[in-house]
Amino acid sequence: MHREQSPARRVIGVVGRSGSGKTTLLEVVVAALAGRGLKVNVIKHSHHDLELEPPRKDSARMRLAGAAEVMVASPYRFAIVHELRGAPEPGLDEQLARLAPADLTLVEGFKSWPLPKLEVYRAAVGQPPLYPHDPLIAAVASDSPRPADAPPELAWLDLNASATVLAWLDRQLDLKFSANLP
């Protein structure tokens, strides 16, 4: 049974330092959730320019000619490339509004956006964790033991055991989403 819920209630951020394993963890989580029949959307924020099509293909040529949006469609997928042309980057709320409804939307990036977050932390990256400075980080998936000074309400998950991350997500889905079920 598909359950419709408010899009704001189906969003969890995945944050962490570069090289910590966010994308790798997301691949595992998305595959597991999709394998259960859940519809999962992902928003990946990048600070770099996006190269989504070969430069000499028709779609790139139309975009470079000045088209505001170019849709590329095939029997397998479609993509819309929207040129900002100097306009400000849309916020996460605008990006979420562009997506079709889903059981869960996972957001990689948008670290400062106010939403519940899962941090991926590896001490080997050589940078401090984010959770001490972000009260919206509800859990940390790490390959390090839980520090003694970690807040007691902060879930500490084994990054190398994806089942622990999935179990945490299951609890989040039940606790956060079941209240509004018909």
Side-chain angles (χ1 to χ4, degrees):
M1 174 172 101
H2 182 70
R3 301 178 283 207
E4 288 296 323
Q5 297 135 13
S6 162
R9 298 198 60 150
R10 293 188 303 245
V11 179
I12 295 178
V14 177
V15 299
R17 306 289 185 176
S18 179
S20 62
K22 297 179 301 291
T23 300
T24 301
L25 179 64
L26 278 170
E27 282 180 295
V28 171
V29 166
V30 170
L33 295 174
R36 294 182 192 170
L38 294 175
K39 183 174 180 185
V40 181
N41 289 339
V42 176
I43 295 178
K44 164 70 173 119
H45 186 263
S46 177
H47 295 286
H48 308 287
D49 192 8
L50 302 175
E51 183 80 24
L52 300 176
E53 69 233 309
R56 290 173 193 74
K57 287 294 188 182
D58 294 352
S59 56
R61 292 172 58 194
M62 295 302 110
R63 187 176 50 76
L64 292 172
E69 285 189 339
V70 175
M71 177 183 280
V72 181
S74 79
Y76 309 101
R77 68 191 55 87
F78 69 90
I80 298 173
V81 179
H82 178 99
E83 286 294 319
L84 293 177
R85 304 211 188 279
E89 179 182 0
L92 181 57
D93 53 347
E94 293 174 71
Q95 304 294 18
L96 288 166
R98 293 177 186 274
L99 293 176
D103 295 303
L104 176 63
T105 299
L106 296 166
V107 177
E108 184 180 342
F110 290 96
K111 281 187 233 183
S112 62
W113 206 264
L115 69 155
K117 297 173 194 132
L118 166 67
E119 178 179 0
V120 179
Y121 172 70
R122 289 185 193 272
V125 170
Q127 297 207 27
L130 301 171
Y131 74 85
H133 307 290
D134 187 344
L136 294 175
I137 293 177
V140 174
S142 179
D143 58 357
S144 301
R146 178 189 189 90
D149 61 348
E153 67 277 6
L154 181 70
W156 199 268
L157 312 171
D158 184 348
L159 180 58
N160 296 317
S162 59
T164 63
V165 176
L166 287 164
W168 179 81
L169 276 172
D170 284 343
R171 288 190 300 275
Q172 297 308 299
L173 293 169
D174 287 345
L175 295 174
K176 304 286 188 217
F177 304 150
S178 62
N180 289 341
L181 296 179

